[in-house]
Structures are given as structure tokens and as C-alpha cells.
Amino acid sequence: MDLHVIVLPYFFLFISTPPKAQRSMDKDSKMMILCLVLAAIISPVFTEEWRADVVKKLDALVTSCVVVPCSFTHPKENLPTSRLRGIWHRSTDRDQRIYYEDRTQVLENFRGRTKLLGQLGQDNCSLEITNIKDHDNGPFCFRIELARTETDTSTVDKFSFVESCVTFTMLPDPPNPTLSHQKTAIQDRPYTITCSVRHTCPSHVPKLTWSRGTADEVIEDHKEMGLGYWEAQSILTIIPEEKDDHSDVTCTAQFNGQKTSSTTLTLYVKRTENYNHIIIPTVAAFGTAVIFAVFCIFMVKRYKKRIAELQNQEGSVWNRLSRLSRR
């Protein structure tokens, strides 16, 4: 419950009490009301304005990298990055710094491996750690310091967000890619396989490669999953042939730090129905029959024409003989 909701009724009760009655109140009651009022006045500074939003748990692949999403607010007006000092330190000791702009004040085994990815002036305190070691598990906390001026680097306001720290789960081996696909491919038809892998280092996205296919057959995507996790995707579309049945397709993920993992899929290609062995002989036989029928019709017509010509010739000879016999 908001502290103001508790305090205000007591405060108004106190100020509405007649002075004589106020004098009769015991000292402890007055002190309690005074403390509650003061707490209500100053509580926004400590509970609302000094706030950091840090992912509490993340996986970290040894030899690779990790990015910790972080944002914060402070009670001062908007300040440029030059007046803000961002620090990441071990939760047990704020002097054990794993990141600071002055590298000489950073723990030796973290020097050159940490940097801020965002601008402090934009309330972004995201941290990148590269070349992860198996002992980099944390917890690590963020601390902000506000300088007096851009030239006067002494800090007047400092705050460590020790309630918002990140702890890493160290992964000695990378996760295997996940393959999404239909169970059976159909011969001579497009077949799509999606390879995806989760990671926690968006500044160095894992590279996904295939054991077959060309660049024109691949579409790549990278999206945020939330809570510091990201997913790299590679989508392969192929046209399987009959010879591809029971062949393997492998997707390999190469992470920052050179570690790799892979997953293999065995293709099962369903043949498309082929009736050529029936259609071709049928068409050939039909074509032959048509040609033979046309030839027969032509020969019959020619034969009939020849018979008609012979009949005409015989009629002419008979007529001549008849005329000669009359003479």
C-alpha cells in the first residue's frame, strides 16, 4: 500500500485537532506522526526515482559473450552522458568493479572484456561482457554517480542498485539449433526448413549455415524474445528430388568465441505419381490408329474414284459398240 494513503489521514487528524488537544497528546504519538509525514515526503526519492530495471538471470556461454539489458531512473533532471558515471560491480563489494570508464579501477580479469552498449544520458545501462569465463557468474549490480559539472568530476549523488543484480548460469556447451519442418517432403515441390537457436548476445549474433542450398534459398531473421533472450533464425527452401530421399540436411550454429553446435534432419521424399509409362504408349497407339484410319479413308476414297472412272470408261465402250451394230 502507498505510504501516503496511511499517513494523510493521521496528518489531517493532527492539524484539525485543537491546539489544546494537541498539547495533551503524548510525545510518542507526536513523534510517530512526524516520522510518518517525513517518510511520505522523502519516499519518492528513494523508492520511485532511484530505480533500475535489470534482468535477474541469464544464460552465459563460456568463451562467448552476454548482454545484460539495463535501464534506470534518478531524481535529478535529465543529464548528459558526460555528467553521469556508470559502474558495474560485484554485489558483495562495490569497489570490485567489472566495468568503469577508468579501466585502471576495473578488476584485472575483466579489463577489456566489458563495455556499456547504451548511453547513460538516455537512461540505458546495458552491459556487454565478452570472452566469458566459467567464473563470471556474478551477481553483478549497477551503480550510478552524478558529477557536479562536466569539468568537475566529483560526484554529489551516488546510488547502487543492489536489489537489482544479474546472475549468470554458465553454459560450457552451446545449445543445439531447433529444426521446424513438415514430416514429409514431396518430390519437385518447395520444402521449407526453419533453423533457430536462442542466445543472450545480440551484439554478436550466432551464424547459421546449411549443409546444402545456396544463399538465394535462405532467409535470415533475428528477433528479441524478452528477458534478455534473442533468437536467430535461418529459413531454407529447397526443391527435393527423388534422389534426395533419406538424405541428410544439417544446420550448424557458430557462436561468438568459435563454439559450434548442429542439428541434422533426414529427408523423407514422397514421389509424385508418374503415369508416363501409361500415357506415352497410349498416346502413341492412339496416334498410330488415327494415322492408319486417315490412310484407310484416303485409300477407300481413291479406290471408289478409280472404280467410278472404270465404270465410265466401260459405259463409253459399250455405247460405241451399240452404235456400230446398228449400222
Side-chain angles (χ1 to χ4, degrees):
M1 182 180 292
D2 191 344
L3 187 59
H4 295 80
V5 177
I6 301 174
V7 171
L8 287 178
Y10 288 99
F11 178 72
F12 286 118
L13 178 62
F14 178 76
I15 62 176
S16 61
T17 303
K20 191 180 222 179
Q22 289 184 13
R23 285 193 295 271
S24 64
M25 291 179 65
D26 60 87
K27 185 177 180 181
D28 291 340
S29 299
K30 293 180 180 180
M31 184 62 68
M32 182 185 70
I33 294 176
L34 179 61
C35 290
L36 288 174
V37 172
L38 289 175
I41 294 173
I42 66 174
S43 62
V45 174
F46 296 101
T47 61
E48 295 180 8
E49 297 185 3
W50 288 100
R51 184 176 65 253
D53 185 10
V54 180
V55 174
K56 298 297 182 67
K57 292 184 179 181
L58 276 177
D59 292 338
L61 176 62
V62 176
T63 74
S64 185
C65 55
V66 65
V67 172
V68 182
C70 172
S71 61
F72 69 98
T73 59
H74 56 81
K76 300 298 181 179
E77 69 279 4
N78 293 332
L79 297 176
T81 300
S82 57
R83 287 190 57 190
L84 297 171
R85 306 287 181 264
I87 302 169
W88 281 87
H89 60 85
R90 294 189 183 277
S91 62
T92 54
D93 187 352
R94 68 185 184 190
D95 291 328
Q96 293 188 11
R97 300 174 176 180
I98 67 168
Y99 168 79
Y100 188 57
E101 60 184 18
D102 182 358
R103 291 189 178 185
T104 62
Q105 299 186 35
V106 174
L107 292 174
E108 185 175 357
N109 61 330
F110 281 96
R111 290 177 189 171
R113 295 199 295 124
T114 58
K115 69 176 180 179
L116 293 184
L117 296 183
Q119 296 293 322
L120 293 175
Q122 299 175 0
D123 300 335
N124 189 335
C125 48
S126 298
L127 175 73
E128 178 194 67
I129 306 176
T130 58
N131 192 19
I132 293 292
K133 311 295 184 183
D134 56 8
H135 55 265
D136 292 344
N137 53 306
F140 303 117
C141 310
F142 177 66
R143 176 180 174 83
I144 187 70
E145 297 182 352
L146 283 62
R148 294 178 183 275
T149 64
E150 295 186 11
T151 56
D152 184 357
T153 58
S154 59
T155 53
V156 290
D157 290 302
K158 309 173 183 180
F159 199 91
S160 288
F161 302 95
V162 292
E163 300 298 326
S164 302
C165 304
V166 63
T167 301
F168 299 127
T169 300
M170 312 312 293
L171 302 180
D173 299 308
N176 291 324
T178 300
L179 296 181
S180 302
H181 56 88
Q182 293 181 339
K183 184 176 181 180
T184 304
I186 300 179
Q187 178 185 346
D188 298 328
R189 295 186 184 179
Y191 183 69
T192 299
I193 310 171
T194 300
C195 177
S196 58
V197 66
R198 292 213 318 169
H199 66 98
T200 55
C201 188
S203 56
H204 298 82
V205 181
K207 183 175 178 58
L208 299 175
T209 56
W210 296 90
S211 60
R212 62 169 294 175
T214 63
D216 294 337
E217 297 173 317
V218 175
I219 298 175
E220 295 183 343
D221 190 21
H222 188 234
K223 56 186 178 181
E224 186 175 4
M225 306 299 291
L227 299 177
Y229 288 89
W230 295 73
E231 184 179 71
Q233 277 191 351
S234 181
I235 304 172
L236 172 68
T237 302
I238 58 176
I239 307 295
E241 302 176 3
E242 183 178 349
K243 65 179 181 180
D244 294 323
D245 190 32
H246 287 82
S247 64
D248 290 338
V249 178
T250 300
C251 176
T252 301
Q254 182 174 357
F255 295 80
N256 175 261
Q258 303 305 311
K259 284 191 175 183
T260 61
S261 62
S262 61
T263 302
T264 299
L265 159 72
T266 299
L267 283 178
Y268 294 98
V269 181
K270 183 179 180 180
R271 298 179 182 178
T272 54
E273 296 296 337
N274 191 337
Y275 298 99
N276 290 341
H277 63 289
I278 299 176
I279 296 175
I280 294 176
T282 302
V283 171
F286 180 76
T288 302
V290 170
I291 293 173
F292 181 74
V294 171
F295 177 74
C296 290
I297 294 172
F298 174 76
M299 292 302 295
V300 168
K301 287 184 177 180
R302 186 174 180 183
Y303 178 73
K304 287 182 178 180
K305 183 178 179 181
R306 183 60 179 164
I307 291 176
E309 291 176 351
L310 290 176
Q311 289 177 348
N312 291 335
Q313 290 178 1
E314 289 178 358
S316 300
V317 172
W318 179 258
N319 291 333
R320 290 177 183 176
L321 292 175
S322 298
R323 284 196 296 269
L324 290 175
S325 63
R326 291 194 191 103
R327 293 179 184 174

